[in-house]
Every structure is written in structure tokens, then in C-alpha cells.
Amino acid sequence: SIAETVKGGDGYIHRSSNTVDDVIQGVALHLHETTTAAGEEITLTRDIQSVKDRLNSMITAYNLAVTLIKEKTGYNAAEKTAGVLMGDYVISTIRSQMRTPLIAQTSGFVEDIDTFLMPGQLGLELDRDGVLSLNTNVFDEAIAEDYMGALAVIGANKTGSSDSNTVKFYQASSSYTTAGAYNVEVVVSGGAITSARIKTTSESTWRTATYSGNIVTGDGTFDDNGDPVYAENGLQLSVDLSQNGTFTATVRVKQGFTGAIEDSLDDMLKATTGTIQIDQEHTDDQIEYLQDKIELEEYRLGLRERHLIARYSRLEKTLALLQSQMGALGLG
């Protein structure tokens, strides 16, 4: 291992590994060779254009989905035809779930603490048809004002913070923890945690949290479908055990709007419990029901046809006999 000396602040920072990721916020330095006594000067620049390009790629993909949904659910006045999914409730729900993260306040972000709270403040705009676009002037101004704040609204991945110096955010699960704000209460006695509980700030009922050493973990129960039962699943907090008492904290877990859209898409596309799969199964059931009904109607019509054929055959025989009798009487 190469010994690193990174100049920072009023002195030097020493690390035993070749990676230094806790000196400059958002930057990881990977050191590969020793330097001269003069050291190395590193210049960092923000790749704003790359961020903008990735946003535009996301916008293009989003609009393709919106266009397809509109085509399949809309009415073509010129051709007087309706889309095959017109009136489908699930498709309308999917469109709403995709749109909501773009117009709602981003989870875990708070006014007067965070610079930006919603995608619209970064220049993302929806027109009356639901088509998404990026106002580059607004975006450039926002990212120049607070680069890290803008990136957080876009892509924060269950990062967190706490308003307490005793109970601090430790980590959250990107897959299972629900972004938002939590109330936490921890009791410390004799240098150990004796009880801990947690709830979302919108809930009235507390839930017991587990703890080991100085780490508190939210309820990790899953339902039969493998989904978290409670929002705090995977959330972990660290507790300062140097003081005794009951300590409370408000913990925020942040998720950017792109992650919220991704979570919605994942829920839609789940193999067994996704909304699209459920809708497909419902549609298959409806098709099967209609096919059975068609077969039953075809059978009924077949019986009716045979009955009518037999009836008219008898009528023809009767008419032929009548004609024969009339002929015999000289009335033909």
C-alpha cells in the first residue's frame, strides 16, 4: 500500500489506504504513485454538460413512454378509432405514477434546509399533453447556485441526515427504505441502549426498533410478496452512548426524483405482483371469459340452426304431401 499525504485545511490528512473519499465532498481520490516533496496539484471541474446530457436522455425515454401510452389509450378522430387500451384503469394509474415524482416535492427534502425541493426548480417542465422538457436556462442557474443540491434532487439514493448530535443517520437500504422523515426515540442507560422506537412523522403509532451495540435498525419485516411491511425497513442509526437519557431525533432519508420514477417502474414490472402483470392476468381472464361465452353462444346457435333445419324439413314434407293429395283430387 502506498502511504498518502493529502493537504487539507491547516495541515495534512493521513490515510492508510490508496483511496481518500472523506476529504472533499462528493470526490474520491485514488492514489497510484508516490510524489516528490512538492506534491501534486489537482484541479477539479464540474461536468455540468454530462449531467445535462443524462437528464435529456431520461427525458427522451420518458416522452417515448408517454407517447406510447397516449397512442394506446387515446382516440384518433381522423380515423375514428380508439386505442386498444382506452379506458384501462391500470394504464391510467401507470401514467400517474410516472408523472407524480416530477410534480411533487421530492421525498426527504425540506424547505429552509435544502436549496431545491422539486424537479421544476431545476427546469423540468411538463406541458398540457404530459410531455417533459428541460428549460436549460433554469437548469444552468440552479446548478450554478448549488451544484450538490441540484444533484441531490435528481439522484439522491436514500442518503440521510439527523437533527440530533446523539442519534445520527448511519445508512439506509436503497431497495427497501422509504424516503421521507422519521421520528426516532432512543433510551440509553449505563452506556447501552435499553429501548428504541421509530415511526414516520406522519404516523401516530410508534414501532419498536431493534438495536445492537450502538446501532438502531428499523423493522425488517417483509410480506408474502417480499415487500417491506414498514417504511423504515433497512434504516440504521448510530447512537452516542456516552450519555444516559432519552434522546429524540428527526431523521430524513432523501431520494431524488429519478429514483422515485425508477421505483415506480420496478413496482409496475414485478414478475408476479407488478401492476402490469396483474392487469395482464385480468385481461387474460376477461379474454378467457369472452371466449367461453362465444363458444357457448356458438353451441346455442348451432342447436337453433339444427332445430330450424329439422323444422323446415318437416314443413317441406308436409307441403309435398299436401300437393300430392291435391293432385289426386284434381286440384293441382
Side-chain angles (χ1 to χ4, degrees):
S1 173
I2 302 170
E4 301 84 10
T5 302
V6 181
K7 190 171 184 179
D10 297 330
Y12 291 90
I13 297 172
H14 299 270
R15 296 291 182 269
S16 58
S17 73
N18 291 355
T19 298
V20 183
D21 58 6
D22 58 352
V23 175
I24 306 171
Q25 184 181 9
V27 175
L29 301 175
H30 302 281
L31 309 179
H32 302 286
E33 297 179 1
T34 57
T35 68
T36 65
E40 292 288 340
E41 181 176 335
I42 300 174
T43 301
L44 300 176
T45 59
R46 291 171 173 171
D47 191 358
I48 295 175
Q49 186 58 49
S50 177
V51 177
K52 193 181 298 185
D53 290 343
R54 289 174 181 271
L55 267 182
N56 281 321
S57 295
M58 185 276 292
I59 289 169
T60 298
Y62 178 90
N63 287 336
L64 285 173
V66 168
T67 300
L68 179 62
I69 290 174
K70 184 177 180 180
E71 175 187 333
K72 299 301 182 182
T73 59
Y75 179 77
N76 189 320
E79 298 181 5
K80 296 182 179 180
T81 57
V84 293
L85 296 174
M86 186 175 184
D88 190 297
Y89 171 76
V90 171
I91 300 302
S92 299
T93 300
I94 288 172
R95 178 169 47 197
S96 175
Q97 289 175 336
M98 289 174 53
R99 183 174 181 267
T100 297
L102 295 167
I103 59 176
Q105 181 167 318
T106 312
S107 296
F109 291 74
V110 179
E111 190 175 0
D112 298 330
I113 295 178
D114 298 295
T115 307
F116 308 111
L117 305 178
M118 334 178 41
Q121 293 174 295
L122 303 184
L124 283 103
E125 301 173 348
L126 286 166
D127 66 15
R128 59 185 298 175
D129 295 320
V131 175
L132 184 63
S133 62
L134 179 66
N135 185 321
T136 55
N137 291 330
V138 174
F139 175 81
D140 289 342
E141 291 178 4
I143 207 163
E145 178 185 352
D146 184 352
Y147 181 77
M148 296 304 294
L151 293 186
V153 169
I154 296 171
N157 186 20
K158 308 298 176 65
T159 58
S161 63
S162 171
D163 64 357
S164 169
N165 291 323
T166 302
V167 181
K168 298 180 180 180
F169 173 86
Y170 184 67
Q171 67 179 13
S173 169
S174 60
S175 300
Y176 302 131
T177 308
T178 300
Y182 296 85
N183 293 136
V184 181
E185 182 183 274
V186 179
V187 178
V188 178
S189 179
I193 300 172
T194 58
S195 69
R197 60 181 187 167
I198 189 171
K199 68 181 183 66
T200 65
T201 55
S202 61
E203 293 177 317
S204 57
T205 303
W206 291 86
R207 287 179 292 277
T208 300
T210 60
Y211 47 88
S212 177
N214 73 322
I215 300 297
V216 173
T217 303
D219 191 301
T221 305
F222 292 88
D223 62 20
D224 293 339
N225 295 321
D227 296 321
V229 174
Y230 301 111
E232 68 272 15
N233 190 309
L235 176 61
Q236 291 190 316
L237 312 167
S238 64
V239 182
D240 181 356
L241 303 180
S242 63
Q243 301 179 70
N244 294 329
T246 299
F247 303 97
T248 60
T250 298
V251 175
R252 294 188 295 132
V253 178
K254 293 182 178 181
Q255 182 183 38
F257 71 87
T258 56
I261 294 176
E262 183 179 11
D263 284 351
S264 294
L265 293 174
D266 286 344
D267 288 340
M268 298 173 200
L269 298 172
K270 284 182 179 177
T272 57
T273 60
T275 51
I276 291 179
Q277 178 63 27
I278 292 173
D279 193 36
Q280 180 66 58
E281 291 173 358
H282 173 71
T283 301
D284 290 343
D285 289 343
Q286 289 294 104
I287 291 173
E288 185 177 351
Y289 168 76
L290 290 173
Q291 287 176 335
D292 290 344
K293 193 172 182 180
I294 289 171
E295 290 176 3
L296 180 62
E297 190 66 15
E298 287 178 341
Y299 175 74
R300 188 188 69 80
L301 290 174
L303 290 177
R304 180 63 175 169
E305 180 183 28
R306 289 193 293 273
H307 172 73
L308 290 175
I309 290 173
R311 181 178 178 182
Y312 286 114
S313 293
R314 291 194 300 270
L315 179 60
E316 286 180 353
K317 289 180 180 180
T318 302
L319 287 174
L321 178 60
L322 179 61
Q323 289 176 346
S324 175
Q325 292 175 346
M326 292 177 66
L329 295 172
L331 299 174

PDB file of all heavy atoms in Angstrom, residues 199-226:
ATOM      1  N   LYS A 199     -41.054   5.859  13.946  1.00  0.00           N
ATOM      2  CA  LYS A 199     -42.254   5.990  13.119  1.00  0.00           C
ATOM      3  C   LYS A 199     -41.993   7.071  12.091  1.00  0.00           C
ATOM      4  O   LYS A 199     -41.076   7.886  12.240  1.00  0.00           O
ATOM      5  CB  LYS A 199     -43.477   6.353  13.970  1.00  0.00           C
ATOM      6  CG  LYS A 199     -43.433   7.745  14.585  1.00  0.00           C
ATOM      7  CD  LYS A 199     -44.677   7.997  15.416  1.00  0.00           C
ATOM      8  CE  LYS A 199     -44.702   9.416  15.997  1.00  0.00           C
ATOM      9  NZ  LYS A 199     -44.811  10.472  14.968  1.00  0.00           N
ATOM     10  N   THR A 200     -42.780   7.093  11.035  1.00  0.00           N
ATOM     11  CA  THR A 200     -42.697   8.220  10.115  1.00  0.00           C
ATOM     12  C   THR A 200     -43.342   9.430  10.772  1.00  0.00           C
ATOM     13  O   THR A 200     -44.193   9.275  11.662  1.00  0.00           O
ATOM     14  CB  THR A 200     -43.400   7.912   8.778  1.00  0.00           C
ATOM     15  OG1 THR A 200     -44.799   7.730   9.005  1.00  0.00           O
ATOM     16  CG2 THR A 200     -42.826   6.651   8.130  1.00  0.00           C
ATOM     17  N   THR A 201     -42.975  10.618  10.366  1.00  0.00           N
ATOM     18  CA  THR A 201     -43.504  11.821  11.012  1.00  0.00           C
ATOM     19  C   THR A 201     -45.006  11.981  10.797  1.00  0.00           C
ATOM     20  O   THR A 201     -45.667  12.694  11.549  1.00  0.00           O
ATOM     21  CB  THR A 201     -42.781  13.067  10.484  1.00  0.00           C
ATOM     22  OG1 THR A 201     -42.873  13.103   9.049  1.00  0.00           O
ATOM     23  CG2 THR A 201     -41.317  13.070  10.889  1.00  0.00           C
ATOM     24  N   SER A 202     -45.548  11.307   9.792  1.00  0.00           N
ATOM     25  CA  SER A 202     -46.987  11.418   9.521  1.00  0.00           C
ATOM     26  C   SER A 202     -47.807  10.390  10.287  1.00  0.00           C
ATOM     27  O   SER A 202     -49.040  10.445  10.286  1.00  0.00           O
ATOM     28  CB  SER A 202     -47.252  11.263   8.016  1.00  0.00           C
ATOM     29  OG  SER A 202     -46.822   9.985   7.571  1.00  0.00           O
ATOM     30  N   GLU A 203     -47.137   9.453  10.960  1.00  0.00           N
ATOM     31  CA  GLU A 203     -47.837   8.400  11.698  1.00  0.00           C
ATOM     32  C   GLU A 203     -48.023   8.781  13.160  1.00  0.00           C
ATOM     33  O   GLU A 203     -47.258   9.585  13.710  1.00  0.00           O
ATOM     34  CB  GLU A 203     -47.068   7.080  11.607  1.00  0.00           C
ATOM     35  CG  GLU A 203     -47.020   6.477  10.219  1.00  0.00           C
ATOM     36  CD  GLU A 203     -46.179   5.214  10.175  1.00  0.00           C
ATOM     37  OE1 GLU A 203     -45.082   5.215  10.787  1.00  0.00           O
ATOM     38  OE2 GLU A 203     -46.610   4.239   9.529  1.00  0.00           O
ATOM     39  N   SER A 204     -48.998   8.158  13.792  1.00  0.00           N
ATOM     40  CA  SER A 204     -49.235   8.396  15.213  1.00  0.00           C
ATOM     41  C   SER A 204     -48.756   7.229  16.072  1.00  0.00           C
ATOM     42  O   SER A 204     -48.551   7.386  17.276  1.00  0.00           O
ATOM     43  CB  SER A 204     -50.735   8.630  15.470  1.00  0.00           C
ATOM     44  OG  SER A 204     -51.500   7.520  15.017  1.00  0.00           O
ATOM     45  N   THR A 205     -48.586   6.066  15.468  1.00  0.00           N
ATOM     46  CA  THR A 205     -48.208   4.866  16.211  1.00  0.00           C
ATOM     47  C   THR A 205     -46.716   4.570  16.066  1.00  0.00           C
ATOM     48  O   THR A 205     -46.192   4.498  14.955  1.00  0.00           O
ATOM     49  CB  THR A 205     -49.007   3.641  15.713  1.00  0.00           C
ATOM     50  OG1 THR A 205     -50.403   3.912  15.834  1.00  0.00           O
ATOM     51  CG2 THR A 205     -48.647   2.410  16.514  1.00  0.00           C
ATOM     52  N   TRP A 206     -46.047   4.382  17.214  1.00  0.00           N
ATOM     53  CA  TRP A 206     -44.625   4.033  17.217  1.00  0.00           C
ATOM     54  C   TRP A 206     -44.460   2.541  16.994  1.00  0.00           C
ATOM     55  O   TRP A 206     -45.334   1.743  17.325  1.00  0.00           O
ATOM     56  CB  TRP A 206     -43.986   4.410  18.557  1.00  0.00           C
ATOM     57  CG  TRP A 206     -43.861   5.880  18.810  1.00  0.00           C
ATOM     58  CD1 TRP A 206     -44.801   6.698  19.354  1.00  0.00           C
ATOM     59  CD2 TRP A 206     -42.722   6.703  18.544  1.00  0.00           C
ATOM     60  NE1 TRP A 206     -44.333   7.986  19.447  1.00  0.00           N
ATOM     61  CE2 TRP A 206     -43.049   8.013  18.958  1.00  0.00           C
ATOM     62  CE3 TRP A 206     -41.454   6.464  17.997  1.00  0.00           C
ATOM     63  CZ2 TRP A 206     -42.155   9.070  18.849  1.00  0.00           C
ATOM     64  CZ3 TRP A 206     -40.564   7.516  17.886  1.00  0.00           C
ATOM     65  CH2 TRP A 206     -40.914   8.811  18.307  1.00  0.00           C
ATOM     66  N   ARG A 207     -43.299   2.163  16.431  1.00  0.00           N
ATOM     67  CA  ARG A 207     -42.937   0.764  16.282  1.00  0.00           C
ATOM     68  C   ARG A 207     -41.593   0.520  16.975  1.00  0.00           C
ATOM     69  O   ARG A 207     -40.706   1.374  16.930  1.00  0.00           O
ATOM     70  CB  ARG A 207     -42.832   0.368  14.808  1.00  0.00           C
ATOM     71  CG  ARG A 207     -44.174   0.261  14.117  1.00  0.00           C
ATOM     72  CD  ARG A 207     -44.003  -0.113  12.663  1.00  0.00           C
ATOM     73  NE  ARG A 207     -43.380   0.974  11.905  1.00  0.00           N
ATOM     74  CZ  ARG A 207     -44.036   2.016  11.404  1.00  0.00           C
ATOM     75  NH1 ARG A 207     -45.340   2.133  11.612  1.00  0.00           N
ATOM     76  NH2 ARG A 207     -43.404   2.959  10.735  1.00  0.00           N
ATOM     77  N   THR A 208     -41.461  -0.632  17.565  1.00  0.00           N
ATOM     78  CA  THR A 208     -40.215  -0.977  18.244  1.00  0.00           C
ATOM     79  C   THR A 208     -39.115  -1.233  17.216  1.00  0.00           C
ATOM     80  O   THR A 208     -39.337  -1.916  16.211  1.00  0.00           O
ATOM     81  CB  THR A 208     -40.401  -2.234  19.112  1.00  0.00           C
ATOM     82  OG1 THR A 208     -41.411  -1.982  20.085  1.00  0.00           O
ATOM     83  CG2 THR A 208     -39.102  -2.609  19.808  1.00  0.00           C
ATOM     84  N   ALA A 209     -37.952  -0.668  17.457  1.00  0.00           N
ATOM     85  CA  ALA A 209     -36.790  -0.894  16.601  1.00  0.00           C
ATOM     86  C   ALA A 209     -35.825  -1.835  17.311  1.00  0.00           C
ATOM     87  O   ALA A 209     -35.792  -1.905  18.539  1.00  0.00           O
ATOM     88  CB  ALA A 209     -36.099   0.431  16.280  1.00  0.00           C
ATOM     89  N   THR A 210     -35.042  -2.567  16.554  1.00  0.00           N
ATOM     90  CA  THR A 210     -34.038  -3.441  17.148  1.00  0.00           C
ATOM     91  C   THR A 210     -32.741  -2.671  17.326  1.00  0.00           C
ATOM     92  O   THR A 210     -32.522  -1.637  16.688  1.00  0.00           O
ATOM     93  CB  THR A 210     -33.790  -4.674  16.261  1.00  0.00           C
ATOM     94  OG1 THR A 210     -33.322  -4.242  14.973  1.00  0.00           O
ATOM     95  CG2 THR A 210     -35.066  -5.469  16.081  1.00  0.00           C
ATOM     96  N   TYR A 211     -31.865  -3.173  18.189  1.00  0.00           N
ATOM     97  CA  TYR A 211     -30.589  -2.490  18.417  1.00  0.00           C
ATOM     98  C   TYR A 211     -29.530  -3.494  18.833  1.00  0.00           C
ATOM     99  O   TYR A 211     -29.805  -4.525  19.442  1.00  0.00           O
ATOM    100  CB  TYR A 211     -30.737  -1.380  19.467  1.00  0.00           C
ATOM    101  CG  TYR A 211     -31.475  -1.788  20.716  1.00  0.00           C
ATOM    102  CD1 TYR A 211     -30.801  -2.367  21.798  1.00  0.00           C
ATOM    103  CD2 TYR A 211     -32.855  -1.596  20.811  1.00  0.00           C
ATOM    104  CE1 TYR A 211     -31.486  -2.735  22.947  1.00  0.00           C
ATOM    105  CE2 TYR A 211     -33.544  -1.971  21.959  1.00  0.00           C
ATOM    106  CZ  TYR A 211     -32.860  -2.536  23.010  1.00  0.00           C
ATOM    107  OH  TYR A 211     -33.531  -2.916  24.142  1.00  0.00           O
ATOM    108  N   SER A 212     -28.306  -3.166  18.451  1.00  0.00           N
ATOM    109  CA  SER A 212     -27.151  -3.991  18.796  1.00  0.00           C
ATOM    110  C   SER A 212     -25.957  -3.063  18.902  1.00  0.00           C
ATOM    111  O   SER A 212     -25.655  -2.325  17.944  1.00  0.00           O
ATOM    112  CB  SER A 212     -26.907  -5.067  17.735  1.00  0.00           C
ATOM    113  OG  SER A 212     -25.750  -5.820  18.031  1.00  0.00           O
ATOM    114  N   GLY A 213     -25.297  -3.075  20.056  1.00  0.00           N
ATOM    115  CA  GLY A 213     -24.215  -2.121  20.269  1.00  0.00           C
ATOM    116  C   GLY A 213     -24.772  -0.717  20.231  1.00  0.00           C
ATOM    117  O   GLY A 213     -25.715  -0.387  20.953  1.00  0.00           O
ATOM    118  N   ASN A 214     -24.242   0.124  19.352  1.00  0.00           N
ATOM    119  CA  ASN A 214     -24.749   1.494  19.247  1.00  0.00           C
ATOM    120  C   ASN A 214     -25.553   1.718  17.969  1.00  0.00           C
ATOM    121  O   ASN A 214     -25.817   2.854  17.585  1.00  0.00           O
ATOM    122  CB  ASN A 214     -23.584   2.491  19.300  1.00  0.00           C
ATOM    123  CG  ASN A 214     -22.775   2.497  18.014  1.00  0.00           C
ATOM    124  OD1 ASN A 214     -22.560   1.445  17.415  1.00  0.00           O
ATOM    125  ND2 ASN A 214     -22.335   3.674  17.589  1.00  0.00           N
ATOM    126  N   ILE A 215     -25.973   0.627  17.298  1.00  0.00           N
ATOM    127  CA  ILE A 215     -26.719   0.731  16.041  1.00  0.00           C
ATOM    128  C   ILE A 215     -28.180   0.357  16.257  1.00  0.00           C
ATOM    129  O   ILE A 215     -28.495  -0.721  16.779  1.00  0.00           O
ATOM    130  CB  ILE A 215     -26.113  -0.169  14.950  1.00  0.00           C
ATOM    131  CG1 ILE A 215     -24.667   0.234  14.665  1.00  0.00           C
ATOM    132  CG2 ILE A 215     -26.950  -0.095  13.672  1.00  0.00           C
ATOM    133  CD1 ILE A 215     -24.507   1.649  14.116  1.00  0.00           C
ATOM    134  N   VAL A 216     -29.072   1.241  15.839  1.00  0.00           N
ATOM    135  CA  VAL A 216     -30.515   1.003  15.870  1.00  0.00           C
ATOM    136  C   VAL A 216     -30.978   0.708  14.452  1.00  0.00           C
ATOM    137  O   VAL A 216     -30.615   1.424  13.511  1.00  0.00           O
ATOM    138  CB  VAL A 216     -31.270   2.224  16.427  1.00  0.00           C
ATOM    139  CG1 VAL A 216     -32.776   2.034  16.299  1.00  0.00           C
ATOM    140  CG2 VAL A 216     -30.881   2.468  17.885  1.00  0.00           C
ATOM    141  N   THR A 217     -31.787  -0.344  14.291  1.00  0.00           N
ATOM    142  CA  THR A 217     -32.243  -0.757  12.963  1.00  0.00           C
ATOM    143  C   THR A 217     -33.761  -0.790  12.917  1.00  0.00           C
ATOM    144  O   THR A 217     -34.413  -1.312  13.834  1.00  0.00           O
ATOM    145  CB  THR A 217     -31.694  -2.154  12.606  1.00  0.00           C
ATOM    146  OG1 THR A 217     -30.264  -2.134  12.688  1.00  0.00           O
ATOM    147  CG2 THR A 217     -32.105  -2.548  11.201  1.00  0.00           C
ATOM    148  N   GLY A 218     -34.334  -0.268  11.857  1.00  0.00           N
ATOM    149  CA  GLY A 218     -35.786  -0.267  11.695  1.00  0.00           C
ATOM    150  C   GLY A 218     -36.335  -1.658  11.465  1.00  0.00           C
ATOM    151  O   GLY A 218     -35.602  -2.600  11.132  1.00  0.00           O
ATOM    152  N   ASP A 219     -37.655  -1.801  11.643  1.00  0.00           N
ATOM    153  CA  ASP A 219     -38.320  -3.095  11.494  1.00  0.00           C
ATOM    154  C   ASP A 219     -38.057  -3.663  10.097  1.00  0.00           C
ATOM    155  O   ASP A 219     -38.343  -3.031   9.086  1.00  0.00           O
ATOM    156  CB  ASP A 219     -39.831  -2.922  11.714  1.00  0.00           C
ATOM    157  CG  ASP A 219     -40.557  -4.245  11.831  1.00  0.00           C
ATOM    158  OD1 ASP A 219     -40.482  -5.045  10.878  1.00  0.00           O
ATOM    159  OD2 ASP A 219     -41.200  -4.486  12.865  1.00  0.00           O
ATOM    160  N   GLY A 220     -37.528  -4.894  10.046  1.00  0.00           N
ATOM    161  CA  GLY A 220     -37.158  -5.503   8.773  1.00  0.00           C
ATOM    162  C   GLY A 220     -38.134  -6.557   8.291  1.00  0.00           C
ATOM    163  O   GLY A 220     -37.752  -7.439   7.505  1.00  0.00           O
ATOM    164  N   THR A 221     -39.395  -6.475   8.698  1.00  0.00           N
ATOM    165  CA  THR A 221     -40.391  -7.465   8.294  1.00  0.00           C
ATOM    166  C   THR A 221     -40.770  -7.296   6.820  1.00  0.00           C
ATOM    167  O   THR A 221     -40.931  -6.173   6.329  1.00  0.00           O
ATOM    168  CB  THR A 221     -41.665  -7.332   9.154  1.00  0.00           C
ATOM    169  OG1 THR A 221     -41.301  -7.419  10.534  1.00  0.00           O
ATOM    170  CG2 THR A 221     -42.663  -8.427   8.820  1.00  0.00           C
ATOM    171  N   PHE A 222     -40.957  -8.449   6.126  1.00  0.00           N
ATOM    172  CA  PHE A 222     -41.402  -8.446   4.732  1.00  0.00           C
ATOM    173  C   PHE A 222     -42.741  -9.177   4.641  1.00  0.00           C
ATOM    174  O   PHE A 222     -43.024 -10.077   5.436  1.00  0.00           O
ATOM    175  CB  PHE A 222     -40.392  -9.140   3.832  1.00  0.00           C
ATOM    176  CG  PHE A 222     -39.080  -8.398   3.685  1.00  0.00           C
ATOM    177  CD1 PHE A 222     -38.045  -8.613   4.585  1.00  0.00           C
ATOM    178  CD2 PHE A 222     -38.906  -7.481   2.667  1.00  0.00           C
ATOM    179  CE1 PHE A 222     -36.845  -7.928   4.460  1.00  0.00           C
ATOM    180  CE2 PHE A 222     -37.709  -6.790   2.535  1.00  0.00           C
ATOM    181  CZ  PHE A 222     -36.678  -7.017   3.428  1.00  0.00           C
ATOM    182  N   ASP A 223     -43.550  -8.801   3.644  1.00  0.00           N
ATOM    183  CA  ASP A 223     -44.817  -9.501   3.443  1.00  0.00           C
ATOM    184  C   ASP A 223     -44.593 -10.734   2.560  1.00  0.00           C
ATOM    185  O   ASP A 223     -43.463 -11.057   2.182  1.00  0.00           O
ATOM    186  CB  ASP A 223     -45.878  -8.564   2.853  1.00  0.00           C
ATOM    187  CG  ASP A 223     -45.497  -8.022   1.472  1.00  0.00           C
ATOM    188  OD1 ASP A 223     -44.632  -8.625   0.790  1.00  0.00           O
ATOM    189  OD2 ASP A 223     -46.065  -6.991   1.057  1.00  0.00           O
ATOM    190  N   ASP A 224     -45.667 -11.414   2.212  1.00  0.00           N
ATOM    191  CA  ASP A 224     -45.569 -12.653   1.432  1.00  0.00           C
ATOM    192  C   ASP A 224     -45.028 -12.424   0.023  1.00  0.00           C
ATOM    193  O   ASP A 224     -44.549 -13.365  -0.619  1.00  0.00           O
ATOM    194  CB  ASP A 224     -46.945 -13.331   1.343  1.00  0.00           C
ATOM    195  CG  ASP A 224     -47.416 -13.843   2.699  1.00  0.00           C
ATOM    196  OD1 ASP A 224     -46.554 -14.034   3.586  1.00  0.00           O
ATOM    197  OD2 ASP A 224     -48.632 -14.027   2.871  1.00  0.00           O
ATOM    198  N   ASN A 225     -45.114 -11.198  -0.449  1.00  0.00           N
ATOM    199  CA  ASN A 225     -44.597 -10.879  -1.781  1.00  0.00           C
ATOM    200  C   ASN A 225     -43.148 -10.422  -1.757  1.00  0.00           C
ATOM    201  O   ASN A 225     -42.577 -10.073  -2.796  1.00  0.00           O
ATOM    202  CB  ASN A 225     -45.461  -9.791  -2.434  1.00  0.00           C
ATOM    203  CG  ASN A 225     -46.872 -10.254  -2.704  1.00  0.00           C
ATOM    204  OD1 ASN A 225     -47.097 -11.401  -3.096  1.00  0.00           O
ATOM    205  ND2 ASN A 225     -47.843  -9.383  -2.490  1.00  0.00           N
ATOM    206  N   GLY A 226     -42.556 -10.396  -0.546  1.00  0.00           N
ATOM    207  CA  GLY A 226     -41.170  -9.963  -0.435  1.00  0.00           C
ATOM    208  C   GLY A 226     -41.003  -8.468  -0.356  1.00  0.00           C
ATOM    209  O   GLY A 226     -39.884  -7.957  -0.524  1.00  0.00           O
TER     210      GLY A 226
END
